[in-house]
């Protein structure tokens, strides 16, 4: 049965270092929103740099504890919703073997590969943009994303491709994806060749104030479709139960305008297509 809203395949709970959301409340919120399927995707960012407000290991999930609670609650709510077991894996070139070994230890249904760091700096922080032209910051970030995909491809979708728009000076008003098509086309072509998809990340759509675009933006999504890309998942990137499926109505409208008629879910790392 096709869903009124797409499955939410990017969710964080208290097992992620930047969330204190109870997993059970997140699941109950999804049920309230009428979702039939979700996937929890806790953070696993090995070797994330220490900042004043980020202690060592903050983004390294206790996967055994996470999996145990997942199994308990997915069984408890199995008659109301399908809950799948995922991970948002932080990509850095030197972590390729470590990430590979980690994924082999657990029965993940779904893996998001996310570029949270560009040469050990996080675009979330203003320091990433200091002392450089804004366009150079974007180019460096996209180049590091490409390098990560070239080095490691054991993931299902690429997380929030241009997410630094949310934090860069001027945000959307200073961003035109057409300025970066040389590098973004290389990224899109490569993930298509490798059979990977895109995380249509809606967090920006329900921010305050809301953005006009998800991450990646409408232009990149359209280009991905033009190049032959078909695999998209929807993810609210919710860190609070009330944000589950946030921005999904607008996101569905946007991806349809980009030419998509289907979205995807994953089970045991295998893709499943659903009508929008």
């Amino acid at each position: 049965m096709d869903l009124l809203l797409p499955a939410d395949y990017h969710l964080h709970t208290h097992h992620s270092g930047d969330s204190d959301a109870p997993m059970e409340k997140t699941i109950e919120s999804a049920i309230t929103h009428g979702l039939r399927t979700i996937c929890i995707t806790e953070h696993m960012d090995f070797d994330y740099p220490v900042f004043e407000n980020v202690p060592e290991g903050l983004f390294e999930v206790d996967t055994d504890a996470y999996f145990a609670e997942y199994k308990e609650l997915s069984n408890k709510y199995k008659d109301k919703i399908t809950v799948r077991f995922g991970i948002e894996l932080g990509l850095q070139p030197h972590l390729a073997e470590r990430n590979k070994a980690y994924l082999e230890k657990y029965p993940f249904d779904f893996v998001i590969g996310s570029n949270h760091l560009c040469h050990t700096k996080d675009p979330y922080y203003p320091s990433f943009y200091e002392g450089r032209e804004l366009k150079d910051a974007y180019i460096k970030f996209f180049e590091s994303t490409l390098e990560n995909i070239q080095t490691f491809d054991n993931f299902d979708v690429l997380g929030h491709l241009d997410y630094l728009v949310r934090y860069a000076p001027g945000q959307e008003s200073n961003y035109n994806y057409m300025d970066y098509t040389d590098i973004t086309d290389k990224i899109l072509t490569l993930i298509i060749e490798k059979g990977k998809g895109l995380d249509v990340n809606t967090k920006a759509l329900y921010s305050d104030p809301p953005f006009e675009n998800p991450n990646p933006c409408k232009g990149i999504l359209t280009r991905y479709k033009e190049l032959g890309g078909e695999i998209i998942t929807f993810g609210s990137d919710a860190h609070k139960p009330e944000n589950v499926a946030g921005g999904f109505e607008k996101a569905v409208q946007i991806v349809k305008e980009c030419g998509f008629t289907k979205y995807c879910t994953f089970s045991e790392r295998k893709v499943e297509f659903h009508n929008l």
Side-chain angles (χ1 to χ4, degrees):
M1 179 177 179
D2 292 316
L3 313 183
L4 179 62
L5 288 177
D8 195 335
Y9 259 57
H10 193 148
L11 293 167
H12 298 282
T13 77
H14 67 100
H15 292 286
S16 289
D18 57 353
S19 173
D20 58 6
M23 188 182 292
E24 187 160 18
K25 294 296 185 183
T26 297
I27 293 170
E28 290 173 348
S29 177
I31 294 169
T32 299
H33 281 85
L35 303 187
R36 301 290 181 86
T37 305
I38 60 171
C39 187
I40 310 294
T41 55
E42 307 292 15
H43 283 295
M44 177 54 94
D45 277 72
F46 292 115
D47 201 20
Y48 188 91
V50 174
F51 292 99
E52 183 177 345
N53 61 337
V54 182
E56 185 175 357
L58 180 69
F59 293 115
E60 295 183 23
V61 62
D62 180 343
T63 314
D64 291 331
Y66 163 34
F67 187 45
E69 185 175 18
Y70 158 77
K71 287 194 294 184
E72 176 188 353
L73 292 177
S74 62
N75 183 63
K76 178 178 179 179
Y77 288 94
K78 64 183 180 181
D79 294 332
K80 296 182 178 180
I81 191 169
T82 298
V83 183
R84 289 181 174 147
F85 180 54
I87 200 77
E88 182 180 12
L89 196 62
L91 305 181
Q92 297 188 68
H94 71 282
L95 294 177
E97 288 303 315
R98 189 174 182 184
N99 281 340
K100 178 177 180 292
Y102 172 70
L103 293 180
E104 290 172 351
K105 289 180 62 178
Y106 297 97
F108 292 112
D109 288 303
F110 177 62
V111 178
I112 302 172
S114 290
N115 188 31
H116 292 131
L117 297 168
C118 177
H119 307 300
T120 73
K121 291 188 176 182
D122 190 336
Y124 176 85
Y125 294 99
S127 58
F128 179 75
Y129 309 95
E130 292 173 358
R132 58 165 41 137
E133 294 292 330
L134 184 58
K135 187 172 182 179
D136 179 63
Y138 276 99
I139 290 172
K140 289 292 191 294
F141 180 81
F142 288 135
E143 287 177 345
S144 69
T145 300
L146 180 62
E147 181 184 10
N148 277 317
I149 302 168
Q150 291 168 333
T151 305
F152 180 83
D153 62 5
N154 190 7
F155 59 86
D156 301 308
V157 302
L158 181 65
H160 45 52
L161 174 53
D162 57 6
Y163 99 114
L164 74 169
V165 179
R166 302 201 303 242
Y167 312 110
Q171 299 174 316
E172 279 187 313
S173 65
N174 277 351
Y175 174 64
N176 183 346
Y177 89 97
M178 289 296 294
D179 293 336
Y180 310 100
T181 53
D182 285 352
I183 184 68
T184 56
D185 271 11
K186 291 178 182 178
I187 293 169
L188 297 176
T189 299
L190 185 58
I191 65 171
I192 291 168
E193 288 176 354
K194 291 177 176 290
K196 312 302 177 185
L198 290 176
D199 162 44
V200 180
N201 192 292
T202 66
K203 190 172 186 177
L205 297 179
Y206 63 85
S207 64
D208 186 18
F211 286 54
E212 289 299 316
N213 285 273
N215 302 110
C217 68
K218 184 176 180 180
I220 289 178
L221 289 169
T222 299
R223 184 61 174 153
Y224 173 67
K225 187 71 169 66
E226 290 173 350
L227 291 170
E230 297 288 346
I231 299 171
I232 57 168
T233 56
F234 287 83
S236 64
D237 206 348
H239 289 63
K240 299 178 180 179
E242 59 265 31
N243 290 332
V244 172
F248 271 30
E249 293 88 350
K250 183 172 182 178
V252 168
Q253 177 185 347
I254 287 171
V255 300
K256 285 182 176 180
E257 291 170 357
C258 295
F260 292 94
T261 59
K262 297 180 183 293
Y263 76 96
C264 298
T265 59
F266 285 78
S267 178
E268 298 180 346
R269 305 292 303 277
K270 296 180 177 62
V271 66
E272 304 167 6
F273 286 86
H274 309 270
N275 293 326
L276 282 167

